[in-house]
Amino acid sequence: MAIGTGDKAPEFDLEEDHGQPRVRLADYLGRSNVLLVFHPFAYTAVCTEEALDLQENLASFRNANTEIVFVSCDASAARQAWKRELGAEYTFASDFWSHGAAAKQYGVFNEDNGAPIRGTFLIDKDGIVIWSLVKDTSTQRTEMVPESLDTLRTKA
C-alpha cells in the first residue's frame, strides 16, 4: 500500500551520480519541501513528457521552496545521460541499488516488471506527505504539477 497524505515520509537514500553525495530526505528536512516523483523508466515517451513538464514548472516549485527529486530504478549513469539530453535542472536520482528500496518504502514498486509505478509525493519541511498521487498504469501520464502547486500555495 502506498504512503498517503498525512503520513510521515520514509527516509530515502538514492544515488544521483557515481562518486557524488547521495540524495537523502534528511538533507531537505527543515530547509525545503520535496516533490518526490517515481516513474517507471528513463527514455520512454510518457516519462519524458513528465520530466519536461517538471522542468517547465521548476521556477514555480522553487519559488514555493520545493526541490524536485525524479526517481526510477535505472542506473545513475543512464539517468544522468537522459537528464543532460532533456536539459533538466533538477535532481534525477537512481533507486537502482539496492534495487527499488525507496519505491518499496513508498509502496510504488511493481514486482512484476522491477520498476516503480507512477507515484508522486509532496513532502513538507517537517517530513510529512502533504499531497500524493499514485497511478498504477504505466501508459498514462500523471498530471502532478497543478495539484501539487495548489497544495503548496494553500499551505503557504
Side-chain angles (χ1 to χ4, degrees):
M1 186 167 162
I3 297 294
T5 301
D7 291 340
K8 181 171 176 27
E11 177 62 66
F12 54 80
D13 181 1
L14 304 164
E15 182 175 81
E16 183 172 14
D17 204 358
H18 181 72
Q20 298 299 314
R22 296 186 62 85
V23 179
R24 295 180 173 95
L25 177 60
D27 296 333
Y28 296 100
L29 294 178
R31 67 174 190 89
S32 71
N33 305 309
V34 177
L35 186 70
L36 182 65
V37 182
F38 290 94
H39 68 97
F41 302 106
Y43 293 102
T44 59
V46 174
C47 295
T48 296
E49 282 183 38
E50 290 175 344
L52 292 173
D53 190 29
L54 290 168
Q55 180 61 38
E56 288 173 21
N57 289 281
L58 183 58
S60 296
F61 282 107
R62 290 201 170 147
N63 287 339
N65 195 29
T66 302
E67 293 298 324
I68 299 169
V69 179
F70 197 51
V71 184
S72 76
C73 291
D74 296 295
S76 62
R79 296 198 56 69
Q80 294 314 304
W82 188 44
K83 176 182 177 178
R84 284 189 298 276
E85 183 178 297
L86 295 175
E89 300 168 350
Y90 56 92
T91 302
F92 276 47
S94 172
D95 196 14
F96 181 75
W97 194 256
S98 60
H99 192 75
K104 290 172 186 172
Q105 286 185 293
Y106 280 80
V108 294
F109 188 76
N110 181 339
E111 295 287 348
D112 293 336
N113 69 2
I117 59 173
R118 298 183 194 291
T120 304
F121 303 89
L122 181 57
I123 304 165
D124 71 9
K125 291 188 269 188
D126 297 321
I128 303 300
V129 176
I130 59 173
W131 179 86
S132 65
L133 178 64
V134 175
K135 295 225 176 163
D136 58 9
T137 57
S138 63
T139 59
Q140 183 178 356
R141 182 170 177 219
T142 301
E143 283 293 340
M144 82 275 299
V145 172
E147 287 184 34
S148 59
L149 282 172
D150 285 348
T151 299
L152 286 167
R153 288 184 194 108
T154 306
K155 187 175 189 246

